[in-house]
Amino acid sequence: LPVGCSRNGIAETFDTSQYRSLYGATKLASELIIQEYCELYGLRIVVNRCGVIAGSGQWGKADQGIYTLWVAHHFFEKELRYTGFGGTGKQVRDLLHPDDLFALVDLQWQELAACSGEVYNVGGGVQGSTSLRQYTELCREITGKGVAISADETTAVVDVPYYTTDNAKVSSALGWTPTKGVENIARDIFRWLEAEEQNVRPIFL
């Protein structure tokens, strides 16, 4: 396996100098600029490379917030589509709830002097990962509804079939681990949709 890639996911030592994507390149460029400001002006900074953030209050779209969108489309009974990798829905990502991210940022704020300048990979990890196909079954269970799912077999050149975050560095440094798994996140989104149905309906429909 490449350096920084293991059964635990992708670590901070994974090579980011090779071809990425325009989206990934802008993130890396932001990191470099922040680090330059930190060095030049003596600022205290921490860089968190987050997994897929998902939770209530998120306006899910196909390119951002797909896991919120997936619950919402089941809730409102709208069609969905598996895209790429044969259109099977088997691509895997790890999910990070905003509450877990906030808890980490709070810890980092308290320990800012010690962790300033560090780059941390932060996500749900292997335990907080799911394929879209698995997530579909969970959405059906939680909402009690099934929706039609079409398939587009075309895989974007920048897409990857599997990504999970190795949280070892941040866990070791700050004692942080995510507490909300995939089912917690999906149920949290569902409860929000139920509570705010009239307000969010025009956005998702």
Side-chain angles (χ1 to χ4, degrees), residues 23-88:
Y23 178 70
T26 59
K27 288 190 170 187
L28 187 58
S30 298
E31 288 185 15
L32 295 174
I33 291 172
I34 289 169
Q35 288 167 344
E36 290 298 326
Y37 268 89
C38 180
E39 180 64 25
L40 185 60
Y41 297 109
L43 302 179
R44 294 185 296 176
I45 63 97
V46 177
V47 173
N48 291 320
R49 294 174 176 170
C50 297
V52 178
I53 298 174
S56 59
Q58 184 182 44
W59 306 126
K61 299 183 294 182
D63 57 347
Q64 291 288 328
I66 185 68
Y67 291 92
T68 298
L69 178 72
W70 221 256
V71 181
H73 274 224
H74 278 81
F75 184 84
F76 291 113
E77 298 181 274
K78 289 186 64 179
E79 184 177 338
L80 287 164
R81 181 175 62 207
Y82 292 136
T83 302
F85 307 105
T88 61

Side-chain angles (χ1 to χ4, degrees), residues 85-100:
F85 307 105
T88 61
K90 292 184 179 179
Q91 58 265 55
V92 172
R93 298 292 186 273
D94 65 338
L95 310 188
L96 177 64
H97 194 281
D99 287 352
D100 282 326

